[in-house]
Amino acid sequence: MGCCSGRCMLMFFCALQLITAVERQVFDFLGYQWAPILVNFLHVIVVILGLFGTVQYKPRYVVLYIVWTMFWVTWNVFICCLYLDLGGLSKDSNYLSLGLSSYRSWWKDNGPGCENRNLPTTRWQHLESPALVSELGCVLEYQYIEVMHSALQLFISALGFVFACYVVNIFNEEEDTYLYK
């Protein structure tokens, strides 16, 4: 059998999820965020199984991918809420490091356009102006980078979910046609 458009699209979205998950995994390792490291690791395994199921016509693996995608979407909504301080969650909590370390998002210290975050020896910007310097800014704050990563994962996962449902439907239809021949 050739590659129907649904199967090809699901393989494409699985490959995209693998690339973005590995990229995210690297930055979670750099920030010592242990919960996302574990979840990303499981995500990579399940996406590989979903890809395998698509290529080898194994609907059980694709269904596993569908179920996992629902969890993955929930996880990414949690990450978005955490970094946006929604629903009683706080980005300053130690949920993601599992309380094992005081590390936080790698992007907090290494974001794009961040100036040196070392505070000046005097905490006053100018001696004439008593404006206290608490932290020097970045072009894009770290929590928005984390939210964009999760939003990208949500978008790719939603499309992968749709195509996985379509592929399972195609597999079931093909199986039914063989049973009636």
Side-chain angles (χ1 to χ4, degrees):
M1 266 190 235
C3 181
C4 72
S5 62
R7 283 185 56 230
C8 289
M9 290 304 292
L10 181 56
M11 288 187 283
F12 173 73
F13 285 115
C14 284
L16 272 179
Q17 281 185 330
L18 286 173
I19 292 167
T20 57
V22 168
E23 180 264 343
R24 187 174 182 178
Q25 185 81 327
V26 167
F27 291 111
D28 288 340
F29 267 116
L30 291 172
Y32 298 100
Q33 295 186 9
W34 303 114
I37 289 169
L38 294 172
V39 174
N40 287 338
F41 180 72
L42 290 173
H43 179 64
V44 167
I45 290 171
V46 173
V47 170
I48 289 171
L49 287 173
L51 188 58
F52 172 77
T54 304
V55 171
Q56 296 294 320
Y57 294 93
K58 305 283 186 188
R60 288 183 183 151
Y61 291 125
V62 180
V63 170
L64 172 68
Y65 169 79
I66 290 170
V67 172
W68 174 260
T69 299
M70 290 186 284
F71 172 78
W72 185 246
V73 165
T74 305
W75 171 257
N76 281 290
V77 168
F78 166 75
I79 295 293
C80 288
C81 290
L82 181 74
Y83 280 109
L84 294 174
D85 294 332
L86 299 174
L89 298 170
S90 172
K91 63 184 166 281
D92 297 323
S93 66
N94 61 358
Y95 294 134
L96 299 180
S97 66
L98 300 176
L100 298 174
S101 65
S102 62
Y103 292 98
R104 56 194 182 272
S105 173
W106 181 83
W107 293 106
K108 187 166 185 168
D109 297 324
N110 302 294
C114 286
E115 299 171 7
N116 186 3
R117 288 197 177 248
N118 296 329
L119 296 177
T121 55
T122 176
R123 292 182 52 99
W124 303 103
Q125 286 181 349
H126 304 286
L127 295 176
E128 307 85 42
S129 169
L132 184 63
V133 176
S134 60
E135 189 174 281
L136 299 176
C138 296
V139 171
L140 187 61
E141 292 296 324
Y142 78 97
Q143 66 265 23
Y144 301 119
I145 295 171
E146 294 286 357
V147 168
M148 287 189 312
H149 272 106
S150 291
L152 177 65
Q153 291 287 334
L154 283 167
F155 178 71
I156 295 170
S157 296
L159 292 174
F161 178 83
V162 168
F163 283 106
C165 291
Y166 177 69
V167 165
V168 167
N169 186 35
I170 289 173
F171 287 169
N172 289 337
E173 286 177 4
E174 288 176 357
E175 185 177 294
D176 289 344
T177 59
Y178 289 127
L179 290 176
Y180 294 114
K181 285 187 178 186

